[in-house]
Amino acid sequence: MFDYLIIGAGLFGATFANLAKKAGKSVLVIDKRPHIAGNCYTETIEDINVHKYGAHIFHTSNKDVWRFVNSFVEFNRYTNSPIAKSKGRYYNLPFNMNTFNQMWETATPEAAKAKIEEQKAEILKLLKGREPENLEEQALSLVGRDIFETLIKEYTEKQWGRKCNELPASIIKRLPVRYTFDNNYFNDLYQGIPCGGYTQLVAKMLNGIEVRLNTDFFEHRSELDCVAEKIIYTGPIDEFFDCQFGTLDYRSLHFETEALDKDNFQGNAVVNYIDADIPYTRIIEHKHFEFGQQTKTVITREYPQAWSLGKERYYTVNDEKNSALYAKYKALAERQSKVIFGGRLAEYKYYDMDDVIERAMAVAKRELGI
Ligand code: FAD
Ligand code: UDP
């Protein structure tokens, strides 16, 4: 008998497991995949740490989270600065003085601000003081039509498989807009990539803890239900309840990875492809996350795809319909005295890695009295 059964060896499960063990609890972690680390898993190909489930850049403003992850591994100084290719031209992201210069040749913050204000006039007139109601209105209110048409519209419709005016405004609020020549994709205080990859970070978090891989909770539910006093569940919330109200929607991805016999393919870790006629959204060149000097390189093309049962769940779709459905499952979850639901899939939220760790730390504090 264990104190806790933790379903999922991703960052939520590993954080809780680590803190529970430190608090003297006995813990069993299971995962249905053949590896730990969930979606931030990295594997070594050609001596390069490859982000198997898409580019993962750690960034946070939370000191406790930053201290926690740095207590296991060292982080390097990587700062995400993606490049976007649109209609044959390259632009810096996020939207900053470099982007504005490439777009309109503006050189000072005043000139760029004036240009953005001019671009925003159209949407402000239409909104007449009301809040933007969808991603298109939100993007036009942030940066205006030129940037929307050049860098947002086609990428977003490819990524989500829906028109920009049918998507929630919240998705685009993630991207900074700034009037400095700063290509840092994030505004957070701390940022980096764990030296040696994320798998090593999670392995260290799980050090000394029993982990059973290739173990699906639902295939062994009756026996696993009784192995612990309490359960931490980090899988999809609807699956836990047999999808009794219907399935929550997700956006899935397909990755194509290849090793190339050259040392540098694109000169940057992340290049976004905006145009609708290119089926992938990004090419990741993994070695640049760690300033690799290997003679070969490994790249991954990321293709968005519709989700259906059996495919990996990557992005939650937090629109009105799915939010209402999630609320029904959440109400069921709150009635479970033995099970705690946490993480991206169990809370159905577009969480970043630091959010997930922060949430797991909060649950551990409450649960373990630490
Ligand atoms: P997961 O990592 O999904 O772990 C859940 C685990 O539970 C999985 O290993 C799964 O196999 C297991 N599981 C599920 N059901 C069962 C079951 N029935 N039985 C046993 N095991 C089960 N965040 C950032 O901060 N920066 C980034 O740059 C970033 N980039 C991203 C890029 C992509 C393409 C995606 C999809 C996400 C990105 N994220 C990023 C988000 C990040 O991946 C998540 O916040 C984080 O990995 C979530 O951790 P988790 O533990 O909640 O879930
Ligand atoms: N986005 C865009 N153009 C880009 C990059 C992002 O329009 O070149 C939009 C798109 O809608 C995307 C959202 O901004 O879903 C958030 O982007 P982010 O890079 O944070 O997405 P993630 O890394 O989570 O896929």
Side-chain angles (χ1 to χ4, degrees):
M1 195 70 181
F2 294 87
D3 292 318
Y4 290 98
L5 166 67
I6 298 172
I7 303 164
L11 279 177
F12 192 99
T15 300
F16 187 88
N18 181 273
L19 296 173
K21 181 169 182 276
K22 278 182 189 147
K25 303 292 181 187
S26 58
V27 176
L28 170 65
V29 177
I30 63 163
D31 203 297
K32 65 180 177 185
R33 292 182 180 170
H35 59 73
I36 58 165
N39 280 350
C40 65
Y41 172 70
T42 45
E43 64 186 356
T44 313
I45 303 176
E46 300 292 352
D47 201 27
I48 294 166
N49 291 314
V50 170
H51 298 208
K52 174 146 186 198
Y53 302 97
H56 277 73
I57 299 101
F58 200 93
H59 55 98
T60 189
S61 291
N62 183 317
K63 274 202 172 76
D64 291 337
V65 169
W66 186 240
R67 254 189 241 120
F68 181 69
V69 291
N70 277 274
S71 71
F72 302 103
V73 289
E74 206 178 320
F75 277 67
N76 72 16
R77 61 150 187 90
Y78 178 79
T79 299
N80 199 31
S81 319
I83 304 284
K85 187 175 182 192
S86 175
K87 313 273 178 295
R89 293 190 56 192
Y90 288 88
Y91 298 86
N92 287 110
L93 290 176
F95 311 122
N96 73 82
M97 289 295 292
N98 289 306
T99 331
F100 307 144
N101 179 264
Q102 289 146 355
M103 188 77 59
W104 305 302
E105 295 184 4
T106 50
T108 61
E110 287 79 11
K113 268 187 194 154
K115 191 73 192 169
I116 294 263
E117 288 310 314
E118 178 192 310
Q119 291 272 316
K120 280 162 46 173
E122 167 204 351
I123 187 74
L124 292 179
K125 203 168 150 200
L126 185 93
L127 292 179
K128 290 198 193 92
R130 72 167 166 82
E131 288 295 304
E133 278 171 8
N134 55 54
L135 191 149
E136 178 163 338
E137 290 183 354
Q138 181 67 50
L140 290 170
S141 312
L142 278 176
V143 285
R145 181 150 304 270
D146 284 359
I147 291 183
F148 174 67
E149 302 276 351
T150 313
L151 295 171
I152 299 174
K153 187 172 187 296
E154 292 177 34
Y155 182 101
T156 298
E157 293 184 352
K158 190 158 61 164
Q159 166 77 351
W160 295 98
R162 294 194 198 175
K163 297 275 171 224
C164 287
N165 59 12
E166 294 164 6
L167 284 163
S170 57
I171 293 174
I172 202 77
K173 287 187 188 158
R174 287 168 63 86
L175 301 191
V177 177
R178 60 170 90 94
Y179 294 95
T180 49
F181 289 94
D182 179 0
N183 297 325
N184 182 353
Y185 202 55
F186 304 111
N187 281 330
D188 281 319
L189 266 178
Y190 310 108
Q191 184 171 174
I193 300 280
C195 301
Y198 287 91
T199 307
Q200 209 188 116
L201 165 68
V202 177
K204 292 207 171 156
M205 289 166 99
L206 293 173
N207 191 18
I209 291 170
E210 182 174 345
V211 180
R212 294 185 199 157
L213 298 174
N214 300 303
T215 306
D216 189 326
F217 174 66
F218 299 112
E219 279 172 23
H220 308 274
R221 192 166 189 163
S222 50
E223 65 195 85
L224 285 170
D225 259 336
C226 329
V227 298
E229 295 287 336
K230 275 198 138 175
I231 293 177
I232 307 290
Y233 178 76
T234 74
I237 188 166
D238 51 351
E239 267 197 344
F240 190 88
F241 297 107
D242 297 322
C243 298
Q244 58 183 270
F245 304 129
T247 49
L248 286 162
D249 201 12
Y250 293 85
R251 191 73 179 147
S252 196
L253 298 169
H254 164 71
F255 298 103
E256 276 179 14
T257 297
E258 57 176 318
L260 302 175
D261 210 2
K262 55 169 80 174
D263 68 338
N264 192 0
F265 171 73
Q266 61 185 17
N268 205 37
V270 183
V271 178
N272 290 2
Y273 287 80
I274 309 295
D275 302 348
D277 58 355
I278 296 176
Y280 44 86
T281 46
R282 303 189 261 220
I283 299 184
I284 309 305
E285 187 168 9
H286 302 268
K287 69 191 303 180
H288 298 310
F289 288 123
E290 299 185 56
F291 318 104
Q293 297 297 317
Q294 299 87 343
T295 50
K296 293 193 179 180
T297 194
V298 177
I299 61 164
T300 301
R301 291 185 175 79
E302 185 174 322
Y303 297 80
Q305 60 176 6
W307 175 82
S308 57
L309 271 178
K311 286 192 183 143
E312 284 292 345
R313 297 162 163 93
Y314 287 105
Y315 293 97
T316 57
V317 181
N318 297 91
D319 59 7
E320 266 178 47
K321 179 179 145 243
N322 285 290
S323 301
L325 186 54
Y326 168 66
K328 289 168 86 172
Y329 284 116
K330 186 167 178 255
L332 284 188
E334 279 163 359
R335 273 187 256 142
Q336 299 277 319
S337 54
K338 190 177 165 172
V339 188
I340 295 170
F341 295 76
R344 212 182 218 211
L345 300 166
E347 294 179 67
Y348 199 65
K349 286 209 172 64
Y350 196 161
Y351 278 148
D352 278 326
M353 292 182 280
D354 62 323
D355 300 320
V356 161
I357 294 173
E358 186 178 329
R359 292 281 302 143
M361 287 169 103
V363 170
K365 204 170 168 186
R366 202 181 57 221
E367 194 45 36
L368 307 163
I370 51 175

